[in-house]
mmCIF file of all heavy atoms in Angstrom:
data_model
loop_
_atom_site.group_PDB
_atom_site.id
_atom_site.type_symbol
_atom_site.label_atom_id
_atom_site.label_comp_id
_atom_site.label_asym_id
_atom_site.label_seq_id
_atom_site.Cartn_x
_atom_site.Cartn_y
_atom_site.Cartn_z
ATOM 1 N N ASN Z 1 -9.651 -9.264 -8.551
ATOM 2 C CA ASN Z 1 -9.476 -8.399 -9.718
ATOM 3 C C ASN Z 1 -10.173 -8.964 -10.947
ATOM 4 O O ASN Z 1 -10.739 -8.222 -11.753
ATOM 5 C CB ASN Z 1 -7.995 -8.196 -10.000
ATOM 6 C CG ASN Z 1 -7.308 -7.345 -8.935
ATOM 7 O OD1 ASN Z 1 -7.956 -6.591 -8.218
ATOM 8 N ND2 ASN Z 1 -5.987 -7.483 -8.818
ATOM 9 N N GLN Z 2 -10.116 -10.275 -11.103
ATOM 10 C CA GLN Z 2 -10.790 -10.918 -12.227
ATOM 11 C C GLN Z 2 -12.307 -10.798 -12.115
ATOM 12 O O GLN Z 2 -13.001 -10.475 -13.088
ATOM 13 C CB GLN Z 2 -10.385 -12.399 -12.307
ATOM 14 C CG GLN Z 2 -11.109 -13.196 -13.378
ATOM 15 C CD GLN Z 2 -10.819 -12.689 -14.780
ATOM 16 O OE1 GLN Z 2 -9.673 -12.386 -15.107
ATOM 17 N NE2 GLN Z 2 -11.840 -12.584 -15.613
ATOM 18 N N VAL Z 3 -12.826 -11.015 -10.912
ATOM 19 C CA VAL Z 3 -14.279 -10.970 -10.716
ATOM 20 C C VAL Z 3 -14.803 -9.544 -10.871
ATOM 21 O O VAL Z 3 -15.816 -9.306 -11.546
ATOM 22 C CB VAL Z 3 -14.642 -11.532 -9.319
ATOM 23 C CG1 VAL Z 3 -16.129 -11.295 -9.013
ATOM 24 C CG2 VAL Z 3 -14.309 -13.015 -9.252
ATOM 25 N N VAL Z 4 -14.107 -8.577 -10.276
ATOM 26 C CA VAL Z 4 -14.604 -7.198 -10.270
ATOM 27 C C VAL Z 4 -14.249 -6.466 -11.557
ATOM 28 O O VAL Z 4 -15.071 -5.742 -12.117
ATOM 29 C CB VAL Z 4 -14.018 -6.429 -9.052
ATOM 30 C CG1 VAL Z 4 -14.406 -4.957 -9.099
ATOM 31 C CG2 VAL Z 4 -14.525 -7.056 -7.758
ATOM 32 N N GLY Z 5 -13.022 -6.623 -12.028
ATOM 33 C CA GLY Z 5 -12.561 -5.849 -13.176
ATOM 34 C C GLY Z 5 -12.412 -6.630 -14.464
ATOM 35 O O GLY Z 5 -12.070 -6.053 -15.496
ATOM 36 N N GLY Z 6 -12.614 -7.947 -14.417
ATOM 37 C CA GLY Z 6 -12.468 -8.747 -15.615
ATOM 38 C C GLY Z 6 -11.036 -8.876 -16.093
ATOM 39 O O GLY Z 6 -10.778 -9.160 -17.269
ATOM 40 N N ASP Z 7 -10.075 -8.670 -15.206
ATOM 41 C CA ASP Z 7 -8.660 -8.717 -15.569
ATOM 42 C C ASP Z 7 -7.902 -9.362 -14.417
ATOM 43 O O ASP Z 7 -7.859 -8.821 -13.317
ATOM 44 C CB ASP Z 7 -8.151 -7.301 -15.838
ATOM 45 C CG ASP Z 7 -6.762 -7.288 -16.456
ATOM 46 O OD1 ASP Z 7 -6.283 -8.365 -16.869
ATOM 47 O OD2 ASP Z 7 -6.166 -6.198 -16.546
ATOM 48 N N ALA Z 8 -7.288 -10.502 -14.666
ATOM 49 C CA ALA Z 8 -6.618 -11.252 -13.604
ATOM 50 C C ALA Z 8 -5.253 -10.643 -13.303
ATOM 51 O O ALA Z 8 -4.197 -11.243 -13.525
ATOM 52 C CB ALA Z 8 -6.474 -12.721 -13.994
ATOM 53 N N VAL Z 9 -5.267 -9.436 -12.767
ATOM 54 C CA VAL Z 9 -4.035 -8.749 -12.381
ATOM 55 C C VAL Z 9 -3.552 -9.314 -11.050
ATOM 56 O O VAL Z 9 -4.323 -9.407 -10.095
ATOM 57 C CB VAL Z 9 -4.281 -7.230 -12.241
ATOM 58 C CG1 VAL Z 9 -3.049 -6.537 -11.682
ATOM 59 C CG2 VAL Z 9 -4.679 -6.636 -13.582
ATOM 60 N N PHE Z 10 -2.271 -9.674 -10.985
ATOM 61 C CA PHE Z 10 -1.716 -10.173 -9.730
ATOM 62 C C PHE Z 10 -1.448 -8.993 -8.802
ATOM 63 O O PHE Z 10 -0.520 -8.223 -9.012
ATOM 64 C CB PHE Z 10 -0.433 -10.960 -9.981
ATOM 65 C CG PHE Z 10 0.174 -11.530 -8.725
ATOM 66 C CD1 PHE Z 10 -0.476 -12.524 -8.018
ATOM 67 C CD2 PHE Z 10 1.382 -11.064 -8.244
ATOM 68 C CE1 PHE Z 10 0.064 -13.054 -6.862
ATOM 69 C CE2 PHE Z 10 1.949 -11.584 -7.091
ATOM 70 C CZ PHE Z 10 1.282 -12.583 -6.402
ATOM 71 N N ILE Z 11 -2.269 -8.825 -7.825
ATOM 72 C CA ILE Z 11 -2.249 -7.780 -6.797
ATOM 73 C C ILE Z 11 -2.553 -6.399 -7.386
ATOM 74 O O ILE Z 11 -3.579 -5.801 -7.101
ATOM 75 C CB ILE Z 11 -0.934 -7.743 -6.003
ATOM 76 C CG1 ILE Z 11 -0.681 -9.111 -5.321
ATOM 77 C CG2 ILE Z 11 -0.986 -6.639 -4.952
ATOM 78 C CD1 ILE Z 11 0.588 -9.166 -4.479
ATOM 79 N N SER Z 12 -1.641 -5.836 -8.185
ATOM 80 C CA SER Z 12 -1.861 -4.497 -8.725
ATOM 81 C C SER Z 12 -1.175 -4.384 -10.080
ATOM 82 O O SER Z 12 -0.283 -5.170 -10.412
ATOM 83 C CB SER Z 12 -1.321 -3.431 -7.762
ATOM 84 O OG SER Z 12 0.065 -3.584 -7.586
ATOM 85 N N SER Z 13 -1.602 -3.374 -10.846
ATOM 86 C CA SER Z 13 -1.166 -3.305 -12.242
ATOM 87 C C SER Z 13 -0.112 -2.244 -12.507
ATOM 88 O O SER Z 13 0.211 -1.995 -13.669
ATOM 89 C CB SER Z 13 -2.384 -3.024 -13.138
ATOM 90 O OG SER Z 13 -2.966 -1.777 -12.814
ATOM 91 N N GLN Z 14 0.427 -1.586 -11.477
ATOM 92 C CA GLN Z 14 1.395 -0.532 -11.750
ATOM 93 C C GLN Z 14 2.835 -1.036 -11.797
ATOM 94 O O GLN Z 14 3.760 -0.242 -11.942
ATOM 95 C CB GLN Z 14 1.275 0.592 -10.719
ATOM 96 C CG GLN Z 14 1.875 0.290 -9.356
ATOM 97 C CD GLN Z 14 0.861 -0.265 -8.388
ATOM 98 O OE1 GLN Z 14 -0.097 -0.917 -8.786
ATOM 99 N NE2 GLN Z 14 1.061 -0.006 -7.103
ATOM 100 N N GLY Z 15 3.038 -2.343 -11.657
ATOM 101 C CA GLY Z 15 4.404 -2.867 -11.629
ATOM 102 C C GLY Z 15 5.183 -2.556 -12.886
ATOM 103 O O GLY Z 15 6.342 -2.117 -12.822
ATOM 104 N N GLY Z 16 4.563 -2.781 -14.057
ATOM 105 C CA GLY Z 16 5.268 -2.523 -15.310
ATOM 106 C C GLY Z 16 5.620 -1.062 -15.488
ATOM 107 O O GLY Z 16 6.716 -0.720 -15.949
ATOM 108 N N LEU Z 17 4.701 -0.185 -15.100
ATOM 109 C CA LEU Z 17 4.948 1.248 -15.217
ATOM 110 C C LEU Z 17 6.104 1.678 -14.313
ATOM 111 O O LEU Z 17 6.997 2.425 -14.731
ATOM 112 C CB LEU Z 17 3.674 2.009 -14.848
ATOM 113 C CG LEU Z 17 3.609 3.474 -15.261
ATOM 114 C CD1 LEU Z 17 3.700 3.619 -16.765
ATOM 115 C CD2 LEU Z 17 2.322 4.104 -14.747
ATOM 116 N N ASN Z 18 6.102 1.210 -13.080
ATOM 117 C CA ASN Z 18 7.198 1.541 -12.161
ATOM 118 C C ASN Z 18 8.527 0.960 -12.644
ATOM 119 O O ASN Z 18 9.589 1.566 -12.458
ATOM 120 C CB ASN Z 18 6.873 1.034 -10.754
ATOM 121 C CG ASN Z 18 5.837 1.893 -10.061
ATOM 122 O OD1 ASN Z 18 5.694 3.072 -10.367
ATOM 123 N ND2 ASN Z 18 5.105 1.305 -9.134
ATOM 124 N N PHE Z 19 8.464 -0.219 -13.237
ATOM 125 C CA PHE Z 19 9.685 -0.831 -13.766
ATOM 126 C C PHE Z 19 10.255 0.017 -14.896
ATOM 127 O O PHE Z 19 11.472 0.265 -14.960
ATOM 128 C CB PHE Z 19 9.384 -2.250 -14.258
ATOM 129 C CG PHE Z 19 10.574 -2.980 -14.805
ATOM 130 C CD1 PHE Z 19 11.558 -3.471 -13.960
ATOM 131 C CD2 PHE Z 19 10.715 -3.177 -16.168
ATOM 132 C CE1 PHE Z 19 12.664 -4.143 -14.466
ATOM 133 C CE2 PHE Z 19 11.816 -3.846 -16.689
ATOM 134 C CZ PHE Z 19 12.788 -4.334 -15.827
ATOM 135 N N TYR Z 20 9.385 0.513 -15.784
ATOM 136 C CA TYR Z 20 9.854 1.323 -16.903
ATOM 137 C C TYR Z 20 10.387 2.671 -16.425
ATOM 138 O O TYR Z 20 11.370 3.187 -16.973
ATOM 139 C CB TYR Z 20 8.710 1.528 -17.901
ATOM 140 C CG TYR Z 20 9.088 2.390 -19.082
ATOM 141 C CD1 TYR Z 20 10.134 2.026 -19.935
ATOM 142 C CD2 TYR Z 20 8.417 3.587 -19.342
ATOM 143 C CE1 TYR Z 20 10.488 2.823 -21.011
ATOM 144 C CE2 TYR Z 20 8.762 4.383 -20.419
ATOM 145 C CZ TYR Z 20 9.800 3.995 -21.249
ATOM 146 O OH TYR Z 20 10.153 4.794 -22.318
ATOM 147 N N ILE Z 21 9.761 3.259 -15.383
ATOM 148 C CA ILE Z 21 10.263 4.519 -14.826
ATOM 149 C C ILE Z 21 11.720 4.376 -14.404
ATOM 150 O O ILE Z 21 12.530 5.289 -14.588
ATOM 151 C CB ILE Z 21 9.395 4.962 -13.633
ATOM 152 C CG1 ILE Z 21 8.027 5.447 -14.125
ATOM 153 C CG2 ILE Z 21 10.074 6.060 -12.833
ATOM 154 C CD1 ILE Z 21 7.051 5.758 -12.998
ATOM 155 N N GLY Z 22 12.060 3.226 -13.846
ATOM 156 C CA GLY Z 22 13.428 2.998 -13.378
ATOM 157 C C GLY Z 22 14.323 2.322 -14.373
ATOM 158 O O GLY Z 22 15.493 2.027 -14.062
ATOM 159 N N ASN Z 23 13.841 2.079 -15.602
ATOM 160 C CA ASN Z 23 14.641 1.383 -16.609
ATOM 161 C C ASN Z 23 14.344 1.956 -17.988
ATOM 162 O O ASN Z 23 13.684 1.321 -18.823
ATOM 163 C CB ASN Z 23 14.357 -0.124 -16.592
ATOM 164 C CG ASN Z 23 14.758 -0.794 -15.298
ATOM 165 O OD1 ASN Z 23 15.905 -1.194 -15.118
ATOM 166 N ND2 ASN Z 23 13.809 -0.917 -14.387
ATOM 167 N N ASN Z 24 14.814 3.167 -18.219
ATOM 168 C CA ASN Z 24 14.670 3.800 -19.521
ATOM 169 C C ASN Z 24 15.831 4.778 -19.713
ATOM 170 O O ASN Z 24 16.496 5.155 -18.742
ATOM 171 C CB ASN Z 24 13.316 4.503 -19.639
ATOM 172 C CG ASN Z 24 13.209 5.725 -18.749
ATOM 173 O OD1 ASN Z 24 13.734 6.787 -19.070
ATOM 174 N ND2 ASN Z 24 12.534 5.580 -17.602
ATOM 175 N N PRO Z 25 16.094 5.183 -20.954
ATOM 176 C CA PRO Z 25 17.277 6.036 -21.198
ATOM 177 C C PRO Z 25 17.245 7.367 -20.467
ATOM 178 O O PRO Z 25 18.294 7.961 -20.233
ATOM 179 C CB PRO Z 25 17.246 6.244 -22.721
ATOM 180 C CG PRO Z 25 16.415 5.131 -23.254
ATOM 181 C CD PRO Z 25 15.413 4.805 -22.193
ATOM 182 N N GLU Z 26 16.061 7.875 -20.090
ATOM 183 C CA GLU Z 26 15.942 9.168 -19.428
ATOM 184 C C GLU Z 26 15.920 9.060 -17.903
ATOM 185 O O GLU Z 26 15.893 10.075 -17.215
ATOM 186 C CB GLU Z 26 14.669 9.887 -19.902
ATOM 187 C CG GLU Z 26 14.634 10.163 -21.392
ATOM 188 C CD GLU Z 26 13.339 10.826 -21.819
ATOM 189 O OE1 GLU Z 26 12.783 11.613 -21.021
ATOM 190 O OE2 GLU Z 26 12.875 10.547 -22.941
ATOM 191 N N SER Z 27 15.928 7.858 -17.366
ATOM 192 C CA SER Z 27 15.812 7.681 -15.915
ATOM 193 C C SER Z 27 17.059 8.171 -15.200
ATOM 194 O O SER Z 27 18.187 7.950 -15.659
ATOM 195 C CB SER Z 27 15.580 6.205 -15.581
ATOM 196 O OG SER Z 27 15.585 5.999 -14.189
ATOM 197 N N ASP Z 28 16.845 8.834 -14.064
ATOM 198 C CA ASP Z 28 17.969 9.211 -13.207
ATOM 199 C C ASP Z 28 18.039 8.331 -11.963
ATOM 200 O O ASP Z 28 18.798 8.609 -11.043
ATOM 201 C CB ASP Z 28 17.865 10.688 -12.801
ATOM 202 C CG ASP Z 28 16.611 10.989 -11.990
ATOM 203 O OD1 ASP Z 28 15.812 10.064 -11.733
ATOM 204 O OD2 ASP Z 28 16.417 12.159 -11.612
ATOM 205 N N GLY Z 29 17.227 7.283 -11.928
ATOM 206 C CA GLY Z 29 17.257 6.341 -10.816
ATOM 207 C C GLY Z 29 16.347 6.692 -9.669
ATOM 208 O O GLY Z 29 16.175 5.884 -8.752
ATOM 209 N N ARG Z 30 15.730 7.892 -9.685
ATOM 210 C CA ARG Z 30 14.927 8.292 -8.545
ATOM 211 C C ARG Z 30 13.649 9.065 -8.909
ATOM 212 O O ARG Z 30 12.686 9.030 -8.153
ATOM 213 C CB ARG Z 30 15.743 9.152 -7.578
ATOM 214 C CG ARG Z 30 16.258 10.447 -8.146
ATOM 215 C CD ARG Z 30 16.885 11.314 -7.052
ATOM 216 N NE ARG Z 30 15.896 11.752 -6.098
ATOM 217 C CZ ARG Z 30 15.268 12.910 -6.161
ATOM 218 N NH1 ARG Z 30 15.530 13.751 -7.150
ATOM 219 N NH2 ARG Z 30 14.393 13.243 -5.251
ATOM 220 N N THR Z 31 13.616 9.787 -10.031
ATOM 221 C CA THR Z 31 12.457 10.614 -10.364
ATOM 222 C C THR Z 31 11.315 9.750 -10.870
ATOM 223 O O THR Z 31 11.471 9.013 -11.848
ATOM 224 C CB THR Z 31 12.827 11.666 -11.422
ATOM 225 O OG1 THR Z 31 13.918 12.449 -10.925
ATOM 226 C CG2 THR Z 31 11.640 12.571 -11.711
ATOM 227 N N ALA Z 32 10.159 9.863 -10.219
ATOM 228 C CA ALA Z 32 9.018 8.997 -10.532
ATOM 229 C C ALA Z 32 8.123 9.633 -11.586
ATOM 230 O O ALA Z 32 6.947 9.919 -11.345
ATOM 231 C CB ALA Z 32 8.218 8.710 -9.262
ATOM 232 N N VAL Z 33 8.670 9.875 -12.773
ATOM 233 C CA VAL Z 33 7.906 10.447 -13.877
ATOM 234 C C VAL Z 33 8.102 9.568 -15.103
ATOM 235 O O VAL Z 33 9.236 9.218 -15.458
ATOM 236 C CB VAL Z 33 8.352 11.894 -14.175
ATOM 237 C CG1 VAL Z 33 7.624 12.439 -15.401
ATOM 238 C CG2 VAL Z 33 8.096 12.789 -12.973
ATOM 239 N N VAL Z 34 6.998 9.228 -15.768
ATOM 240 C CA VAL Z 34 7.070 8.426 -16.984
ATOM 241 C C VAL Z 34 7.545 9.321 -18.120
ATOM 242 O O VAL Z 34 6.965 10.396 -18.340
ATOM 243 C CB VAL Z 34 5.688 7.833 -17.331
ATOM 244 C CG1 VAL Z 34 5.786 6.942 -18.565
ATOM 245 C CG2 VAL Z 34 5.138 7.054 -16.150
ATOM 246 N N PRO Z 35 8.589 8.957 -18.865
ATOM 247 C CA PRO Z 35 9.043 9.792 -19.978
ATOM 248 C C PRO Z 35 7.920 10.070 -20.961
ATOM 249 O O PRO Z 35 7.158 9.171 -21.345
ATOM 250 C CB PRO Z 35 10.141 8.929 -20.621
ATOM 251 C CG PRO Z 35 10.623 8.038 -19.532
ATOM 252 C CD PRO Z 35 9.418 7.752 -18.685
ATOM 253 N N GLY Z 36 7.786 11.341 -21.330
ATOM 254 C CA GLY Z 36 6.755 11.730 -22.282
ATOM 255 C C GLY Z 36 5.446 12.151 -21.663
ATOM 256 O O GLY Z 36 4.516 12.523 -22.394
ATOM 257 N N THR Z 37 5.332 12.116 -20.332
ATOM 258 C CA THR Z 37 4.102 12.535 -19.668
ATOM 259 C C THR Z 37 4.377 13.780 -18.830
ATOM 260 O O THR Z 37 5.515 14.086 -18.514
ATOM 261 C CB THR Z 37 3.536 11.435 -18.757
ATOM 262 O OG1 THR Z 37 4.418 11.231 -17.641
ATOM 263 C CG2 THR Z 37 3.394 10.122 -19.506
ATOM 264 N N SER Z 38 3.299 14.489 -18.450
ATOM 265 C CA SER Z 38 3.459 15.644 -17.574
ATOM 266 C C SER Z 38 3.758 15.164 -16.167
ATOM 267 O O SER Z 38 3.361 14.074 -15.760
ATOM 268 C CB SER Z 38 2.186 16.504 -17.577
ATOM 269 O OG SER Z 38 1.067 15.758 -17.146
ATOM 270 N N ALA Z 39 4.457 16.006 -15.406
ATOM 271 C CA ALA Z 39 4.922 15.613 -14.075
ATOM 272 C C ALA Z 39 3.852 15.827 -13.014
ATOM 273 O O ALA Z 39 4.043 16.526 -12.028
ATOM 274 C CB ALA Z 39 6.180 16.402 -13.714
ATOM 275 N N THR Z 40 2.689 15.226 -13.235
ATOM 276 C CA THR Z 40 1.615 15.252 -12.248
ATOM 277 C C THR Z 40 1.132 13.828 -12.053
ATOM 278 O O THR Z 40 1.342 12.953 -12.900
ATOM 279 C CB THR Z 40 0.430 16.129 -12.690
ATOM 280 O OG1 THR Z 40 -0.153 15.567 -13.884
ATOM 281 C CG2 THR Z 40 0.886 17.554 -12.985
#
């Protein structure tokens, strides 16, 4: 990732986003939608 993208991401970069999906005031524990974004 560092060589190709210039960013030393450990494996993949969606971990924080998935963590926030499951840990925010609007989360129902299962719906995979980021609050404030369209559901696509």
Side-chain angles (χ1 to χ4, degrees):
N1 291 338
Q2 176 63 43
V3 171
V4 174
D7 190 11
V9 173
F10 181 67
I11 302 181
S12 62
S13 62
Q14 76 266 29
L17 196 61
N18 285 334
F19 181 74
Y20 178 59
I21 288 174
N23 296 274
N24 69 78
E26 300 178 33
S27 175
D28 62 0
R30 62 172 294 265
T31 303
V33 175
V34 183
T37 68
S38 59
T40 63

